[in-house]
Amino acid sequence: SKPLADIMNKITNRKINKNIYNYFPDKKPLGYMTYHINTKEALKNIPAFTSEIINNIAFAKDDITIVTDLISTIVDEEATATLFDGDLSLFLHDVKKVEVLTKSYEYDDNYEQTEVEKMETKSIPLFTMVFTSTHPTFGDKLLQLGIRKKFLVQKGDYYEITGTQGKYGDLFIIKDKDVIVIGNSHEYFNTNNGSFVKEVKKDLKQSYFLGKVNIPEASRAYSEETKNTNSKKFEQFATQFSDITLQSSKKLIDNKLKFELRLNSLKSNKNIILQTLDFVEELGK
């Protein structure tokens, strides 16, 4: 409906906190997803959305009023929205093999337990998650609680998460004013306003949601980790297509929130629909 479409336009039309770009990678990652919504508007309008949904169900009018009033009372958009303002970005940078110390238990003939430590080679995805929180105290208090409970260890300008090295690498948290970063590699932060950041900034002027997979780079990482029939097909796919993009515009069209899925080809000798059909036919052989 037009009233709900107007609300959605307010939710998707968020002014991005530019400080997040300091923690975007310089170069294109294997894949990423970033979205930016106005959390305050979303929370404020939950009762309106709820009322619209309930109106289509067999509820009495008085019952609907009670439900919407209850939600309005529980949700304090002014305070709650500052915990997570609406910027969220996820990046998969690469996959690397690391040596990690693992512990296991073995049992002898008398069923007595023995702890065994050994070094194993594991593949760990290198990732970063970036989001914003403008609450004046909650983030800092949460970090201090983590230190007191020995979940976190402060190391200079970041906090290392304890007990994760074996599974996820050296997980850490950075709190830089309104920006919070969780990841396991410091190597990929934007240091000189690289080409990737400029590209994303341009796309986000029109879109509130953007996701992309870099097919050749994803194929390279997958092939290095897995040598089988699927990896060969993935390599073949990567020689033909450059990336898959999913995005959604800030502006609603005909009161509809639309998503666009785009597959970009590396070749121009044939219509992309025919290229895709050719590739599907090749997979079946």
Side-chain angles (χ1 to χ4, degrees):
S1 66
K2 181 66 168 60
L4 290 186
D6 291 339
I7 292 172
M8 282 305 303
N9 270 320
K10 292 179 182 178
I11 292 173
T12 58
N13 191 23
R14 170 175 171 76
K15 186 177 181 180
I16 297 172
N17 186 328
K18 294 181 179 179
N19 292 330
I20 65 172
Y21 295 126
N22 295 328
Y23 296 96
F24 277 35
D26 277 336
K27 299 178 181 179
K28 289 182 180 180
L30 301 188
Y32 69 92
M33 183 280 290
T34 182
Y35 80 87
H36 309 271
I37 62 170
N38 189 321
T39 306
K40 182 179 176 181
E41 286 292 336
L43 292 171
K44 184 170 70 175
N45 288 288
I46 282 177
F49 279 112
T50 307
S51 178
E52 183 77 10
I53 293 168
I54 294 176
N55 274 329
N56 293 316
I57 307 173
F59 276 113
K61 186 175 181 180
D62 291 341
D63 296 340
I64 295 173
T65 304
I66 292 171
V67 172
T68 53
D69 283 351
L70 177 62
I71 294 172
S72 300
T73 304
I74 293 173
V75 177
D76 178 2
E77 69 274 4
E78 292 289 344
T80 308
T82 61
L83 295 176
F84 170 64
D85 297 78
D87 300 309
L88 175 65
S89 303
L90 301 170
F91 301 97
L92 174 61
H93 305 291
D94 206 346
V95 179
K96 74 172 185 177
K97 291 182 178 180
V98 296
E99 294 288 326
V100 296
L101 181 66
T102 61
K103 293 182 179 181
S104 61
Y105 296 93
E106 295 181 356
Y107 298 87
D108 58 22
D109 294 338
N110 297 320
Y111 299 101
E112 292 183 357
Q113 179 178 285
T114 304
E115 185 178 271
V116 179
E117 291 186 348
K118 58 182 178 180
M119 297 298 293
E120 289 185 354
T121 301
K122 285 191 174 183
S123 297
I124 293 180
L126 301 179
F127 72 93
T128 306
M129 178 173 71
V130 186
F131 64 95
T132 53
S133 175
T134 54
H135 195 284
T137 59
F138 186 75
D140 291 322
K141 287 182 177 179
L142 201 59
L143 290 172
Q144 293 306 312
L145 175 64
I147 292 173
R148 290 198 303 272
K149 297 298 183 182
K150 298 182 179 180
F151 296 137
L152 300 175
V153 177
Q154 187 166 3
K155 293 190 174 182
D157 59 353
Y158 69 93
Y159 302 84
E160 187 176 276
I161 302 175
T162 60
T164 62
Q165 288 76 7
K167 290 185 178 180
Y168 311 107
D170 297 322
L171 272 178
F172 62 83
I173 298 174
I174 294 174
K175 187 177 186 300
D176 183 1
K177 299 176 183 176
D178 298 340
V179 180
I180 297 173
V181 183
I182 301 174
N184 61 357
S185 177
H186 296 266
E187 301 172 23
Y188 298 93
F189 295 149
N190 175 42
T191 55
N192 56 8
N193 202 24
S195 58
F196 170 71
V197 177
K198 292 177 182 177
E199 177 186 312
V200 172
K201 282 182 178 179
K202 182 180 177 181
D203 289 338
L204 288 177
K205 286 182 180 179
Q206 306 297 327
S207 303
Y208 79 94
F209 177 92
L210 180 64
K212 185 176 288 189
V213 176
N214 184 328
I215 297 172
E217 285 299 308
S219 171
R220 174 194 58 76
Y222 182 75
S223 298
E224 288 177 359
E225 299 301 318
T226 311
K227 295 294 182 183
N228 55 26
T229 306
N230 289 333
S231 65
K232 291 180 179 179
K233 290 179 179 179
F234 201 171
E235 288 175 10
Q236 183 183 350
F237 185 62
T239 62
Q240 192 162 346
F241 301 102
S242 61
D243 59 73
I244 299 173
T245 302
L246 178 64
Q247 63 190 85
S248 183
S249 173
K250 290 181 178 181
K251 294 182 179 180
L252 274 69
I253 302 170
D254 297 329
N255 296 343
K256 294 183 178 69
L257 189 66
K258 295 187 177 182
F259 284 83
E260 179 182 284
L261 180 66
R262 186 182 302 159
L263 176 64
N264 293 314
S265 174
L266 289 166
K267 300 179 180 180
S268 58
N269 60 333
K270 189 183 288 188
N271 180 287
I272 190 159
I273 296 176
L274 296 177
Q275 289 187 47
T276 306
L277 292 173
D278 289 345
F279 180 74
V280 171
E281 183 179 355
E282 189 68 27
L283 286 179
K285 292 181 180 180

